[in-house]
Amino acid sequence: MPGTFSYTESTNTIEVTDGTEGAPATFNDMLHADRTVATTACSVNSGAELKAATAIANPTDVTLTYPMRPVNEKALRLAITTAANGGAAASGDETVDVYGTTCVWHYLSGASANGQKVVPIANNTHNYQVGDTVILIDISNPSTYETDTIASISEGVSITMTNNNTNAYAAGDVVGIYQTEQIDTSAAHGTFWTTVPYGQIAKMTFTGYDGTNTAKVDQPIWGVVWEYVADGQYKMDCIVKIGDGSTATYFQSKNEEVYFSDGMYITVEDNASLEIGDLYESYPVDGSMWSFGLTGGTLTVIAYGDDDANFYCYGSRIHNRENNKYYFRTGNEVKFVDSILSYESQNTSAKYEFREPISTLVFDRVHFYNMYAPVFYSTPDTFTNVYMHRQYYGLITGTSTTGTIINPKMTSLSTDLFTGASATLTIQDYAESWSDVSIYNGDADSITIAEYTCNIHVANSSGEDLGGVYVDCEYAHLVEGSDSKTYKCIQDHTAVDATHKPITGTDWGDYWELYSDTGGYGDWNTGFAYKSGTAEWTASSVQTDSDGDITEQNITVRRWTTTSETEEARIHKFTFTYGGDTEIFDEFLIDAPIKWHLEFPPVATMLTAIYNKLPSKDYLAGSADSDGGFDSEAKADIGDSVWDESATDHVTANTMGERIDEIRNDVTSIGLTGSAVGVTADSCTVTTGTEANDYTSTYTINETYHQITAVGGVIDFYYEFDIGTEGTPVSATAKGRVDEGSVPSGGDTCYWYAYDWDASDWVSIGSKDGIANSDSDDDLLLVVPLFSQHVGTGANDGKVHIRFGGTGLEANTAILIDHVNVQYANVISNPSIADAVWDEESTGHTDAGKAGQQMWTDVDSTLSKIKRLGATGEG
């Protein structure tokens, strides 16, 4: 049996030592230690001493120092040990009379005053009968017991006696079927066992002893560990101490309900570890449910100085029935993962406090429920996906504490967050509306920061990872003006109401410009230093690595400062620089974590560059042709006639000029946003899987999903897109997730394919692991490059096929697609433009008033004159 257990009667404490992480001590081991039974004699080491050895006079009524604890057995035989102790040997007339209850007995659930007949019993059973003789025992003064007969029974409520009570009884006193016996102890001093088991003892009367002889009373078990369900449900009637402060100790609770009686608790000592639940491949399994009923005051789970104590709670719940502070004052590792910490009420004492120093403090996917607040004086190393619900405060940070909470959820709170004096609290990747967040800062030095993580991947136009791209970011402040509209700072200044405040300040227009006709973005703060373009991080310090990724950055979007909850709101601009090229994404109001997959330079930039490089007049100038036609100067003149025409002329419908103007408009109308022309799916073919909704659900991002669920462990389907006969695919974009059929996550992987029309085969372009119990927060936006081989020709001209699927999947695993599209470009080349100009029929552009008519008239006239000159020999 792992672990070494000892029980101290005076403090009602079980101490456990030894045990290892591989072979930990458990409650089942503790139960077996509690049930150690003495077969011939009973002592402190083999059971529990209810009465220490005491000199006995003749006659003497003896009451037990400690009440009996028969736990599940309901009744126990007791051991009475007598000794001469220097006095007379047994003389032949010594006896002990025992008065108590049988195995049918209960604690009173309420008071029964003197002169009453009714005793309340909440857990009454059918073992009582009208007419039974019962004994009433005042636990605080058991020798003043009384007996009576039952007149009537109200099941589950009370027992009514025949006579009025002589004594007053309180909740926790005892009633039970009365029994008594006399034990003959006259043969010789020694150990004598009661002939019948008892539930509780009122008194023992010793007769025939000389005043020097001693007697003591023991029960054969500790009687403080109850087991209601084998290896699964326990009640603890004692304090549990994990470790002795020096011996390496490991204790674990798995798949158990553990109920600590009122006033009982657990502590973890130095060099000891307590683990509730377990981990399997980093995921919690086999969790337990613990319940405490400690009233008032403070319980120190880990005390100051116990720097090597460890507390782990995995996939478990710790519930507190009463109001009491639970302190973790120090420790090596304190970790809560996928667990619930709860109270019965939001009383000011109903809180967990994590003091410092705790070397490693982790909260991951933890639910704090119905308490005053969790309080942190030690900075958590991890505080991710924490849910705070129905509390007075969602979270309190102590004085001078610095902490970050990632992706929290806060509901039904009086005040969401309290930031202590001189403390800084950062809220990262909060999914809800910031306007609903209630912040209280403890003093003028308190700061609460709202920020989002920023992850950016950059690839070139061929889809290859692009390293060396500089990514810069700067912000400008937003405030709500006196007209309830939102304004953006355009010049740095320290706010003076009369001068700067929009729209009542005398010069506000020099410092602010209208951003939105609606408000809600930032409070006006007199004396605050507003910024129009301040770097979020040092310029040129963030650069993509060889994989095309930047190091994750944190971007502040709001700040609350001073006790008045002044709110600071920001809008952002991103600048991308590579090889002399620069792209700017301006006026981003960031309201979610950034996970961008970008192409550099964007498609629109490339198209604009092509347009700007269309043939000039110099392209047309050349040497004389072989039949003595135009020389270089003449050709240059014709080039001038074509290319120097006004860009606003020659746009009549169905002319070449209109066609070129249309190309120019299409190119220049594409904003520099990184977007190519995109199309949604024309159809979807489901080869294997059960379909919910159809492909039209993917047209917009709205969390209405096209869902395909596995059949026989297989999912296989593809979308068809039509990008036209002149289109070349650039990339494919999909937003969605793989919902795994059961925990743990990561067991299923689904793949993403594009059809290679040249190779006549599917080519993998990505994959996604499943997430069990997923929701829309787990959706991922993926962008992958496509190339010319991914578009069909001939009968399949313009067709692009994008496929999703997986094999060996769990039952109920599904692929959910919120949106999917294909981006493409119609590539324009210099030769094609030249062909469009020079291969046109001359008869197509001869209408009056057109540049074409003028050009052909001049050319024909010039050619005629040259030939005539050549024939006559003029010139």
Side-chain angles (χ1 to χ4, degrees), residues 740-745 771-773 810-813:
E740 192 159 340
S742 61
V743 295
S745 300
I771 299 175
N773 301 320
E810 299 174 7
N812 298 322
T813 290

Side-chain angles (χ1 to χ4, degrees), residues 34-374:
D34 181 284
R35 298 297 190 270
T36 300
V37 177
T39 55
T40 57
C42 197
S43 68
V44 173
N45 293 326
S46 59
E49 187 178 69
L50 304 181
K51 182 72 175 180
T54 304
I56 304 297
N58 180 33
T60 298
D61 287 340
V62 173
T63 57
L64 301 181
T65 305
Y66 303 105
M68 288 184 63
R69 294 184 299 274
V71 292
N72 296 74
E73 311 217 8
K74 296 300 282 183
L76 295 169
R77 293 174 64 201
L78 299 181
I80 303 167
T81 302
T82 65
N85 194 34
S91 60
D93 59 355
E94 292 87 355
T95 60
V96 179
D97 292 290
V98 183
Y99 305 88
T101 74
T102 68
C103 61
V104 181
W105 66 278
H106 294 90
Y107 291 112
L108 272 62
S109 60
S112 179
N114 181 10
Q116 290 186 344
K117 297 181 179 182
V118 178
V119 289
I121 302 174
N123 58 343
N124 194 11
T125 72
H126 290 287
N127 291 328
Y128 293 104
Q129 300 291 331
V130 173
D132 284 344
T133 299
V134 296
I135 183 172
L136 294 168
I137 303 173
D138 180 351
I139 290 296
S140 64
N141 186 19
S143 62
T144 60
Y145 68 91
E146 59 184 300
T147 61
D148 202 348
T149 58
I150 298 176
S152 63
I153 300 172
S154 178
E155 296 295 344
V157 178
S158 62
I159 297 173
T160 301
M161 303 299 169
T162 302
N163 303 303
N164 292 332
N165 296 339
T166 301
N167 304 317
Y169 298 95
D173 287 340
V174 170
V175 62
I177 301 297
Y178 174 65
Q179 71 176 356
T180 185
E181 68 172 307
Q182 186 176 81
I183 302 172
D184 184 355
T185 61
S186 63
H189 291 304
T191 298
F192 304 88
W193 289 84
T194 60
T195 60
V196 293
Y198 288 84
Q200 288 294 332
I201 296 294
K203 69 175 182 178
M204 294 180 178
T205 301
F206 289 76
T207 303
Y209 289 82
D210 65 3
T212 303
N213 301 149
T214 61
K216 74 184 188 78
V217 182
D218 299 287
Q219 70 174 39
I221 65 174
W222 296 341
V224 291
V225 183
W226 296 58
E227 183 184 46
Y228 290 100
V229 176
D231 297 330
Q233 195 174 59
Y234 300 95
K235 185 178 86 166
M236 303 303 301
D237 279 345
C238 67
I239 298 166
V240 177
K241 182 180 175 185
I242 309 298
D244 60 6
S246 59
T247 305
T249 302
Y250 207 101
F251 189 91
Q252 187 173 32
S253 169
K254 300 190 330 183
N255 295 318
E256 296 168 340
E257 292 183 1
V258 184
Y259 182 96
F260 286 79
S261 298
D262 290 351
M264 302 299 108
Y265 54 88
I266 195 165
T267 64
V268 184
E269 308 300 314
D270 208 18
N271 296 308
S273 298
L274 169 61
E275 184 176 12
I276 310 173
D278 202 359
L279 287 180
Y280 177 75
E281 296 181 351
S282 301
Y283 285 90
V285 294
D286 300 332
S288 291
M289 162 67 184
W290 285 22
S291 176
F292 292 96
L294 192 61
T295 304
T298 299
L299 167 64
T300 300
V301 181
I302 300 178
Y304 281 127
D306 291 346
D307 297 336
D308 290 322
N310 300 298
F311 187 101
Y312 308 107
C313 185
Y314 300 134
S316 298
R317 180 180 180 183
I318 300 176
H319 180 68
N320 298 280
R321 305 184 303 275
E322 302 291 343
N323 300 316
N324 186 80
K325 298 177 184 177
Y326 283 81
Y327 275 13
F328 291 79
R329 293 189 177 274
T330 185
N332 179 41
E333 291 187 330
V334 176
K335 296 183 178 181
F336 294 84
V337 181
D338 278 322
S339 295
I340 299 173
L341 303 178
S342 60
Y343 275 87
E344 288 288 333
S345 74
Q346 301 172 26
N347 184 280
T348 55
S349 294
K351 56 188 175 183
Y352 285 88
E353 292 202 11
F354 300 91
R355 297 280 175 165
E356 60 179 352
I358 297 176
S359 298
T360 303
L361 183 58
V362 172
F363 295 86
D364 187 16
R365 303 184 300 276
V366 175
H367 185 166
F368 292 102
Y369 171 70
N370 200 39
M371 64 180 70
Y372 187 74

Side-chain angles (χ1 to χ4, degrees), residues 397-601:
T397 57
T399 302
S400 301
T401 303
T402 300
T404 298
I405 59 176
I406 301 173
N407 193 28
K409 188 173 181 63
M410 299 177 286
T411 57
S412 301
L413 307 175
S414 177
T415 299
D416 293 325
L417 301 169
F418 179 100
T419 305
S422 302
T424 299
L425 175 63
T426 300
I427 319 163
Q428 190 176 96
D429 292 351
Y430 181 53
E432 308 299 326
S433 170
W434 289 112
S435 62
D436 297 331
V437 176
S438 173
I439 303 293
Y440 182 82
N441 287 331
D443 69 3
D445 293 326
S446 303
I447 301 173
T448 305
I449 300 171
E451 67 181 24
Y452 288 111
T453 53
C454 175
N455 291 276
I456 298 176
H457 177 86
V458 181
N460 62 21
S461 58
S462 298
E464 299 166 334
D465 299 333
L466 192 60
V469 179
Y470 287 99
V471 181
D472 292 313
C473 179
E474 62 184 50
Y475 70 88
H477 282 114
L478 298 177
V479 298
E480 183 174 315
S482 58
D483 57 354
S484 299
K485 297 180 181 180
T486 300
Y487 292 84
K488 175 185 173 183
C489 181
I490 56 176
Q491 184 179 159
D492 293 357
H493 63 284
T494 300
V496 176
D497 288 16
T499 304
H500 306 117
K501 185 175 182 178
I503 56 176
T504 55
T506 55
D507 299 324
W508 74 268
D510 295 334
Y511 299 92
W512 299 93
E513 66 179 13
L514 181 65
Y515 172 76
S516 171
D517 287 331
T518 60
Y521 296 101
D523 299 331
W524 176 261
N525 183 16
T526 302
F528 186 80
Y530 286 106
K531 303 296 182 182
S532 60
T534 297
E536 278 285 355
W537 52 77
T538 303
S540 301
S541 65
V542 176
Q543 190 177 24
T544 58
D545 59 21
S546 59
D547 294 326
D549 299 312
I550 67 168
T551 302
E552 182 175 87
Q553 302 295 311
N554 298 318
I555 296 180
T556 299
V557 293
R558 292 196 173 193
R559 287 168 62 99
W560 289 261
T561 55
T562 77
T563 55
S564 63
E565 298 188 31
T566 300
E567 179 189 307
E568 171 192 341
R570 301 179 178 186
I571 192 169
H572 290 80
K573 177 175 76 173
F574 289 85
T575 302
F576 297 83
T577 306
Y578 180 74
D581 293 326
T582 298
E583 292 296 332
I584 296 176
F585 296 172
D586 202 1
E587 292 199 345
F588 273 85
L589 190 62
I590 300 172
D591 59 1
I594 293 177
K595 298 178 182 179
W596 288 347
H597 187 123
L598 302 176
E599 181 180 295
F600 193 95

